[in-house]
Amino acid sequence: MALIIFTLRLAIGILLFPMFLLNLLGLWNQICKKWFPYFLRRFTVMYNEQMASKKRELFSNLPEFAGPSGKLSLLEVGCGTGANFKFYPAGCRVTCIDPNPNFEKFLIKSVAENRHLQFERFVVAAGENMQQVADGSVDVVVCTLVLCSVQNQEQILQEVCRVLRPGGAFYFLEHVAAESSTWNYFWQQVLDPAWYLLFDGCNLTRESWKALERARFSKLELQHLQAPLPVELVRPHICGYAVK
């Protein structure tokens, strides 16, 4: 099976040789950072249509984690175009972090369309190093379709625990690896190297639930599901929340 996967990866590599060559020359990342926000803007419209009920269910208890002031302080890591904004409760104070500065203009548009929120700032930084956010300063951290592409899952979860106040919560919704005995997992393995380059560092075969289970949370509510998406490769999902 490993030989078949290698052979198919090689064939795909030949077909997509220009992309792999640009990556080898150090040019592909610059191109991807510029076009990816335009792709994600379109993708998140479709994703929100298919996942709206799940997102509403997931975020339904966000107000329970509001601090003493009664207002919810929320940090979204890997905010992208702001696709989650419409699911947040009114009056929520939102800070966004993303390593790609090209998302900012799309984020500003989402802020204008979601006046029920109190937008605070956009920080250009990786989730593994959120030094601009103080220790224990937020009630909730949200991360959707991000753990698939971060460089170090353990480090980003350590940062999440650092910025959360005691009793705060981390909400997640992520696509993950399929069950190892399925054809879906086979094709995830075959397409993973090309997918990684095409979609700005996204990995198809990450078992992100394992990193969450190892993290230092006092409570973890985690659910596996098959998302109703047209592309079977990204249908396996996990969602839930963890309490510090």
Side-chain angles (χ1 to χ4, degrees):
M1 187 64 75
L3 180 60
I4 296 173
I5 291 171
F6 173 79
T7 303
L8 289 171
R9 282 183 174 180
L10 183 61
I12 292 168
I14 294 170
L15 288 172
L16 298 177
F17 176 74
M19 180 182 71
F20 283 94
L21 179 61
L22 286 171
N23 184 61
L24 188 64
L25 296 173
L27 301 174
W28 179 252
N29 187 57
Q30 300 172 38
I31 297 170
C32 191
K33 291 295 182 189
K34 290 182 178 179
W35 81 262
F36 190 65
Y38 292 91
F39 161 78
L40 198 62
R41 178 181 61 175
R42 294 180 178 274
F43 172 79
T44 51
V45 170
M46 178 277 295
Y47 188 84
N48 271 352
E49 288 176 354
Q50 301 297 324
M51 300 294 287
S53 61
K54 178 53 67 176
K55 282 192 175 186
R56 280 193 292 268
E57 177 188 342
L58 175 63
F59 297 132
S60 62
N61 67 337
L62 275 174
E64 296 177 12
F65 292 98
S69 68
K71 282 195 173 184
L72 184 72
S73 174
L74 185 150
L75 172 68
E76 182 163 355
V77 181
C79 57
T81 61
N84 291 324
F85 285 0
K86 64 181 181 179
F87 300 100
Y88 296 156
C92 179
R93 300 198 311 269
V94 179
T95 296
C96 292
I97 283 186
D98 201 288
N100 189 345
N102 297 301
F103 276 119
E104 186 169 14
K105 65 180 179 181
F106 300 101
L107 198 63
I108 290 171
K109 185 175 183 294
S110 292
V111 169
E113 294 170 350
N114 292 275
R115 296 293 187 183
H116 66 290
L117 302 178
Q118 181 181 332
F119 182 73
E120 298 201 322
R121 58 176 174 149
F122 172 59
V123 178
V124 178
E128 293 94 333
N129 184 13
M130 299 187 288
Q131 59 183 351
Q132 298 93 329
V133 184
D135 295 4
S137 61
V138 297
D139 301 314
V140 166
V141 177
V142 173
C143 188
T144 62
L145 302 182
V146 171
L147 293 179
C148 58
S149 59
V150 298
Q151 293 186 7
N152 189 315
Q153 289 186 330
E154 282 72 21
Q155 190 172 339
I156 194 173
L157 292 174
Q158 287 175 12
E159 279 289 88
V160 166
C161 288
R162 179 185 66 79
V163 302
L164 277 174
R165 64 164 176 79
F170 172 58
Y171 284 74
F172 55 89
L173 176 64
E174 301 286 338
H175 76 84
V176 294
E179 292 186 20
S180 59
S181 60
T182 63
W183 279 108
N184 195 12
Y185 183 65
F186 170 80
W187 286 110
Q188 284 180 335
Q189 292 180 89
V190 169
L191 294 169
D192 195 49
W195 189 278
Y196 179 87
L197 290 184
L198 277 170
F199 299 112
D200 199 20
C202 176
N203 295 270
L204 287 170
T205 57
R206 282 198 172 169
E207 298 173 327
S208 300
W209 64 90
K210 293 183 178 179
L212 286 161
E213 289 167 351
R214 291 192 299 266
R216 297 177 300 160
F217 292 111
S218 63
K219 176 184 177 182
L220 176 63
E221 296 285 342
L222 186 150
Q223 174 189 4
H224 287 260
L225 67 144
Q226 290 292 315
L229 300 174
V231 180
E232 187 173 354
L233 288 168
V234 291
R235 285 179 188 167
H237 270 55
I238 57 171
C239 72
Y241 68 95
V243 179
K244 180 178 175 181

